Amino acid sequence: AQSVTQLGSHVSVSEGALVLLRCNYSSSVPPYLFWYVQYPNQGLQLLLKYTTGATLVKGINGFEAEFKKSETSFHLTKPSAHMSDAAEYFCAVSGGYQKVTFGIGTKLQVIP
Amino acid sequence: DAGVIQSPRHEVTEMGQEVTLRCKPISGHDYLFWYRQTMMRGLELLIYFNNNVPIDDSGMPEDRFSAKMPNASFSTLKIQPSEPRDSAVYFCASSTGPTDGANVLTFGAGSRLTVL
């Protein structure tokens, strides 16, 4: 079984401030982890993924995430928020099979 | 490639009517997924196919929902009869399958269904 919990359905940050979106996962096997972004009226797009190896994963648009097995976490960060980062972000987990389970999403608001 | 193509983008119908949503996956992608997105439940996997064969339909809510994939380039999700609680955005996604163990999905733009 696999599941994802995203802490905070809405997060607001000021432009230029640190972005931190939290994700905790549960998986009965070593997990593969993802962050996707959804802009209004669009489908989800892959930001980054963790498979094996380096625990700090860099993605597009300056985002990165760190896999912490001891904390079962995969938090998404960006040092400096930009107005264009306003979107909904989804954490997802896969147990190495085809099935991918998504969290409920976190809406990021960037305040000018 | 034009990506995953879904139609219609918006559908408004009345309770009891049949609804058919369509999806064209990316050429060469062997896996196709149907997800439903609502405010309350987020993204739920309804069903997925591998090489046109349904692999897991445990997420299909009830018998009113059915999905088919007659060939590698086309899939349908049908709701008959539709109910107001079916109102949601339905996403189709495709993939080549797990690479490095990770199954990366490419999503379509979604079909927004409103059942009155």
Side-chain angles (χ1 to χ4, degrees):
Chain A
Q2 57 194 37
S3 65
V4 165
T5 301
Q6 290 186 240
L7 302 175
S9 58
H10 290 81
V11 171
S12 293
V13 300
S14 298
E15 191 174 15
L18 171 72
V19 175
L20 171 61
L21 304 182
R22 300 177 187 275
C23 171
N24 288 91
Y25 69 89
S26 173
S27 176
S28 55
V29 297
Y32 299 92
L33 296 160
F34 311 82
W35 277 98
Y36 283 79
V37 60
Q38 184 182 29
Y39 298 102
N41 300 315
Q42 295 185 26
L44 281 70
Q45 305 170 35
L46 182 70
L47 266 181
L48 50 80
K49 65 177 181 180
Y50 168 78
T51 55
T52 58
T55 56
L56 184 62
V57 180
K58 295 186 184 300
I60 61 173
N61 301 336
F63 284 93
E64 59 184 35
E66 187 171 11
F67 170 62
K68 291 187 176 180
K69 184 178 178 180
S70 61
E71 299 177 7
T72 61
S73 69
F74 191 58
H75 301 332
L76 181 70
T77 60
K78 182 174 180 177
S80 176
H82 191 273
M83 294 300 294
S84 61
D85 295 327
E88 190 161 15
Y89 293 80
F90 293 86
C91 184
V93 64
S94 168
Y97 309 115
Q98 302 92 338
K99 198 168 181 175
V100 180
T101 301
F102 287 83
I104 201 152
T106 298
K107 286 188 177 174
L108 176 66
Q109 179 187 23
V110 182
I111 304 166
Chain B
D1 200 316
V4 177
I5 299 173
Q6 291 187 245
S7 65
R9 290 294 312 277
H10 301 274
E11 174 89 8
V12 179
T13 190
E14 293 189 348
M15 183 173 63
Q17 296 298 306
E18 178 179 292
V19 173
T20 300
L21 307 178
R22 299 171 176 81
C23 175
K24 177 177 167 45
I26 291 174
S27 177
H29 281 195
D30 296 328
Y31 290 83
L32 184 140
F33 302 78
W34 282 101
Y35 283 87
R36 177 171 67 176
Q37 184 180 37
T38 60
M39 292 284 289
M40 294 301 296
R41 300 172 69 93
L43 269 166
E44 302 172 276
L45 176 64
L46 300 177
I47 185 172
Y48 77 92
F49 296 82
N50 178 213
N51 291 326
N52 314 337
V53 177
I55 302 300
D56 185 346
D57 65 354
S58 59
M60 296 286 263
E62 47 198 275
D63 292 346
R64 298 185 296 106
F65 285 69
S66 63
K68 294 182 179 179
M69 192 165 186
N71 57 61
S73 59
F74 184 65
S75 177
T76 60
L77 178 67
K78 189 173 291 187
I79 309 172
Q80 167 64 17
S82 59
E83 296 182 3
R85 60 192 168 123
D86 301 330
S87 298
V89 180
Y90 291 81
F91 285 102
C92 176
S94 68
S95 77
T96 57
T99 305
D100 300 332
N103 193 12
V104 176
L105 308 182
T106 301
F107 282 79
S111 294
R112 181 176 296 276
L113 173 65
T114 302
V115 183
L116 303 175

